[in-house]
Amino acid sequence: VLFLLTLPLAIRAQESSDKAVSKPQATASPAKAAAKNKATSAAAKAKIDQQKALALSLLLSLANDARNFPDQRLRARTLSRIADALWNADPDQARTLFRKAWDAAEVADQESARRLEEERQRQQAATGGFALATPPDLRSEVLRLAAKRDRALGEEFLDKLKEARTREATDASSPARPEPLDTPAAIKQRLRLANQLLDTDVERALQFADPALGTITMEGLNFLSFLRDKNPAAADQRYARMLTIAETDLKADANTISLLSSYLFTPHFFITIEPGGGQQMSQMNERTPAPEVTPELRNAFFRAAALVLLRPSPAREQ
């Protein structure tokens, strides 16, 4: 019995003795831990830099190979995508590659146009009609990637494209007579580019679109409706400027007002009246509800409409 009573005391004494002789485990000092972390970070950074250098070397090697591709379409697409990937690391080299890509795209587009015309003539001679699939526009592809990276380079390519379109129209054997409501090709191309940029960079899209928004066009108003989904204030401001243009433009007529009405009442849907009295309807995107605009902007539209529609008709030439 005495043994059983003294056993707990002995156990507690042993535990106390064990605690007394046990020592805490040594821990690394903060200075050593910091040095170890610094060394690890330096090694990781060196590895990343090595991988970047390898990737850059591979891109440049592929670019050198792509310059000799016999397929101009493949050459243009490869060079433009390499330039896009290379831009952050070496903008000057990327800019050079974009220009090489443009040259290849120009040749590819000309060759596609030549083959398309040959096929049109062949089908027309055989059947009296033709049905053709439009080939890809390589210059537009290069333009979109370049403009995303550099506005000045985008403007350079737009100017080149405008000159090329002018030459093509001049060289045409029987150029079509432009319709009064037809949007000039240069404005169409600029707004098409702006629409492509709108999803990723609104500011860059506006830089390219603004020069084309000084003219009231279907494409311009369609762009403003897309812009309003991203930045209502910027879109409304530019629309108000168009209303002012309409008020002072002596050539503005009922079709001008019809185009302007789309922004407020039927976004992306346009109705115009042909000279013979017929209607022409254009659906440029899926129908969307009328936007919530300020009463001031709506009143500005009705004021511009009244000024244009109630304006005395110009006297006919005798």
Side-chain angles (χ1 to χ4, degrees):
V1 175
L2 181 61
F3 173 77
L4 294 175
L5 291 174
T6 58
L7 182 59
L9 296 175
I11 292 174
R12 282 197 293 271
Q14 181 65 35
E15 289 176 348
S16 299
S17 176
D18 291 341
K19 290 180 180 179
V21 298
S22 64
K23 296 181 180 179
Q25 294 182 351
T27 57
S29 66
K32 289 183 178 180
K36 183 178 180 180
N37 290 337
K38 185 176 181 180
T40 303
S41 299
K45 184 178 183 301
K47 185 176 181 180
I48 292 173
D49 290 342
Q50 184 180 12
Q51 291 173 341
K52 286 182 177 179
L54 177 60
L56 182 61
S57 175
L58 291 174
L59 282 174
L60 293 175
S61 177
L62 179 58
N64 287 331
D65 292 340
R67 293 180 185 185
N68 298 318
F69 286 171
D71 186 334
Q72 297 290 339
R73 180 185 302 181
L74 179 61
R75 183 188 300 185
R77 284 177 167 163
T78 303
L79 288 174
S80 61
R81 281 157 178 75
I82 292 174
D84 185 46
L86 191 63
W87 187 269
N88 291 333
D90 191 345
D92 291 336
Q93 180 69 19
R95 197 174 282 108
T96 299
L97 292 178
F98 269 130
R99 291 192 173 102
K100 295 288 185 183
W102 180 268
D103 293 340
E106 197 165 34
V107 174
D109 285 347
Q110 290 172 355
E111 181 63 19
S112 294
R114 183 187 64 78
R115 288 198 298 265
L116 191 69
E117 178 61 20
E118 289 177 354
E119 180 62 17
R120 184 191 68 79
Q121 293 178 2
R122 186 192 67 78
Q123 290 186 22
Q124 201 161 23
T127 65
F130 59 90
L132 302 171
T134 304
D137 187 346
L138 271 298
R139 283 173 291 185
S140 292
E141 292 183 19
V142 176
L143 173 61
R144 178 178 59 83
L145 291 175
K148 180 183 68 173
R149 293 297 189 177
D150 184 1
R151 180 189 176 187
L153 188 60
E155 292 288 354
E156 176 186 323
F157 288 162
L158 275 174
D159 288 341
K160 288 184 177 181
L161 192 58
K162 180 180 178 180
E163 292 174 3
R165 300 293 191 223
T166 302
R167 286 196 305 270
E168 291 166 5
T170 303
D171 294 341
S173 57
S174 56
R177 182 179 179 181
E179 296 294 332
L181 291 175
D182 279 354
T183 303
I187 291 181
K188 279 185 178 180
Q189 184 65 50
R190 181 176 287 276
L191 290 171
R192 186 181 302 121
L193 172 62
N195 272 320
Q196 292 171 342
L197 294 172
L198 199 55
D199 288 335
T200 56
D201 191 338
V202 173
E203 183 178 355
R204 181 59 56 84
L206 287 174
Q207 289 173 350
F208 282 100
D210 277 339
L213 297 177
T215 303
I216 300 171
T217 63
M218 190 181 302
E219 288 78 5
L221 286 157
N222 192 54
F223 171 80
L224 289 184
S225 291
F226 281 123
L227 174 62
R228 202 173 198 285
D229 295 335
K230 305 285 186 180
N231 190 332
D236 288 352
Q237 179 187 16
R238 286 160 174 79
Y239 177 71
R241 191 185 308 151
M242 281 191 177
L243 294 176
T244 302
I245 292 172
E247 290 177 356
T248 57
D249 184 3
L250 296 179
K251 294 182 180 179
D253 56 12
N255 276 329
T256 306
I257 300 304
S258 181
L259 292 178
L260 288 167
S261 71
S262 166
Y263 181 81
L264 294 179
F265 305 110
T266 59
H268 309 296
F269 180 69
F270 301 88
I271 299 177
T272 54
I273 307 300
E274 297 175 344
Q279 292 183 353
Q280 182 175 353
M281 293 180 286
S282 300
Q283 183 74 55
M284 304 188 76
N285 195 52
E286 61 183 21
R287 297 287 289 272
T288 57
E292 294 289 337
V293 301
T294 63
E296 291 78 12
L297 188 62
R298 189 176 289 107
N299 290 338
F301 164 75
F302 287 119
R303 182 175 61 251
L307 286 173
V308 171
L309 298 177
L310 298 178
R311 182 182 297 158
S313 300
R316 294 183 179 179
E317 295 182 2
Q318 299 297 326

